[in-house]
Amino acid sequence: MIVRVPATSANLGPGFDTLGLALGLYNAFNISPSRLSSIHISGEGGDRPKLRVDNAFVRIFSEILSAHNYPAGHFKFNLNNNIPISRGLGSSSAVIIGAIVSAYHIMQKPISKPEILQLALSYENHPDNITPALYGGFTIAMLDSHKKGQKAQVSSFQAPLPTDIKAVVVIPNMTISTKLSRRTLPKKHTTKDAIFNLSHACMLSAAFITQKWELLALASKDRFHEEARMKNLPVLFNVQKIALQNGALSSTLSGSGSSFLNICYRDDSLALARVLQKHFPKFRVLELEFDNQGATLIES
């Protein structure tokens, strides 16, 4: 079987650990029974021998089978990775969602999307990337626990994205670790900044749901995390500035970076991509559709 999972972009500016969307860039995980277990990785990470020894997809897949006492067996894993690693485009979330969907399909055990999302939270403790990876489209995810020490429950909302907008993603040749990036963030925020982000995240959600794209530039502003993270790679300030000057409706750090997500009208995407590639020749610039399907079993 083959399970395909899209890349994602989280936060979208003010929606820290809450908002995300899915992009038309995919990892495809091909699993088949075999006499001997083997792992083959093509694309991103294919040149890293360590990933064939300690592979997160295989580890999660195996843990789920073991938890259900599924008979041990050997599998051939062909992992075709197109999502850049450690660039803020949800590569780890794609692995988590892909492994869960694959394991339950192998076991022929039914599992709902809300159940998949809850299980994924065991491997990724914030839901802003795993939610669009599973559902596609624009997503809002919320964690809630009624009692102290109780396992958080995730609730989510999804809205499809239309074809009249596209993503132009700038992918620097430098990585930014999410774990290390979080250490640079302020530990406290003023009431003024909290209200700023709350109001902008609400307006941004409304813009995506009602498809009022003229609201994106204002609504995508942030005071919680972007500036602190972009200081780790100052060229990103220039990426954002040039994108907004050349047709981007919004320009936001993708997750913790280093990639930048630029949303624009479809008719403006080629020109915007060319301008950004000209100014940043050492970076990858991709024109991408948005994905509304999320994780998909494309062959069985």
Side-chain angles (χ1 to χ4, degrees):
M1 66 170 182
I2 300 173
V3 172
R4 190 182 75 167
V5 187
T8 53
S9 185
N11 301 324
L12 309 180
F16 188 63
D17 281 0
T18 302
L19 305 182
L21 53 74
L23 300 164
L25 181 69
Y26 304 92
N27 282 1
F29 309 106
N30 188 334
I31 305 99
S32 57
S34 179
R35 288 192 306 108
L36 297 173
S37 294
S38 63
I39 303 172
H40 176 74
I41 302 171
S42 58
E44 299 286 338
D47 58 348
R48 301 186 187 185
K50 182 181 178 182
L51 292 181
R52 290 191 292 273
V53 177
D54 180 19
N55 187 276
F57 181 95
V58 175
R59 183 172 67 252
I60 295 168
F61 177 89
S62 301
E63 286 175 1
I64 294 172
L65 264 57
S66 177
H68 288 273
N69 297 313
Y70 188 81
H74 296 289
F75 297 94
K76 179 189 293 185
F77 298 92
N78 285 312
L79 313 179
N80 181 14
N81 299 332
N82 291 303
I83 304 173
I85 298 170
S86 297
R87 296 297 202 286
L89 291 171
S91 61
S92 61
S93 292
V95 165
I96 293 165
I97 294 297
I100 295 171
V101 172
S102 299
Y104 273 83
H105 186 70
I106 284 285
M107 295 187 295
Q108 296 185 343
K109 290 180 68 70
I111 183 171
S112 68
K113 285 194 172 183
E115 289 171 328
I116 293 172
L117 191 60
Q118 190 63 40
L119 180 55
L121 203 63
S122 303
Y123 299 97
E124 178 79 69
N125 61 7
H126 38 88
D128 49 347
N129 275 307
I130 56 176
T131 306
L134 177 62
Y135 285 100
F138 164 75
T139 62
I140 305 170
M142 177 183 72
L143 295 181
D144 180 48
S145 57
H146 299 292
K147 296 180 181 178
K148 188 176 181 180
Q150 185 183 54
K151 187 175 181 181
Q153 299 295 306
V154 58
S155 299
S156 66
F157 169 88
Q158 188 261 15
L161 293 168
T163 58
D164 61 337
I165 57 170
K166 289 186 72 173
V168 176
V169 180
V170 178
I171 308 171
N173 50 11
M174 294 80 82
T175 64
I176 293 180
S177 162
T178 300
K179 186 176 181 181
L180 295 177
S181 174
R182 280 182 177 262
R183 294 178 185 173
T184 69
L185 301 183
K187 298 297 186 290
K188 296 181 179 180
H189 297 281
T190 66
T191 300
K192 184 177 180 180
D193 284 349
I195 293 171
F196 181 95
N197 262 54
L198 177 62
S199 62
H200 283 68
C202 289
M203 187 64 74
L204 185 64
S205 298
F208 276 108
I209 294 167
T210 63
Q211 300 182 11
K212 293 184 177 179
W213 309 125
E214 69 276 8
L215 297 175
L216 290 184
L218 176 61
S220 59
K221 295 182 183 297
D222 163 80
R223 289 185 182 175
F224 273 12
H225 71 104
E226 278 199 342
E227 183 175 355
R229 283 171 158 163
M230 289 162 67
K231 285 179 179 178
N232 296 320
L233 192 58
V235 68
L236 295 178
F237 290 100
N238 205 27
V239 170
Q240 187 178 53
K241 179 181 177 181
I242 291 172
L244 291 172
Q245 290 175 342
N246 288 274
L249 296 163
S250 67
S251 181
T252 56
L253 188 66
S254 186
S256 61
S258 57
S259 297
F260 240 82
L261 169 70
N262 306 291
I263 298 175
C264 63
Y265 290 114
R266 171 175 291 276
D267 291 346
D268 296 333
S269 64
L270 179 58
L272 177 59
R274 285 175 174 171
V275 167
L276 289 168
Q277 192 68 81
K278 179 181 177 181
H279 279 84
F280 307 101
K282 294 183 179 180
F283 296 171
R284 291 173 63 191
V285 178
L286 301 180
E287 283 184 83
L288 299 173
E289 303 285 350
F290 293 103
D291 172 272
N292 286 316
Q293 301 302 314
T296 308
L297 183 70
I298 61 174
E299 185 175 315
S300 179

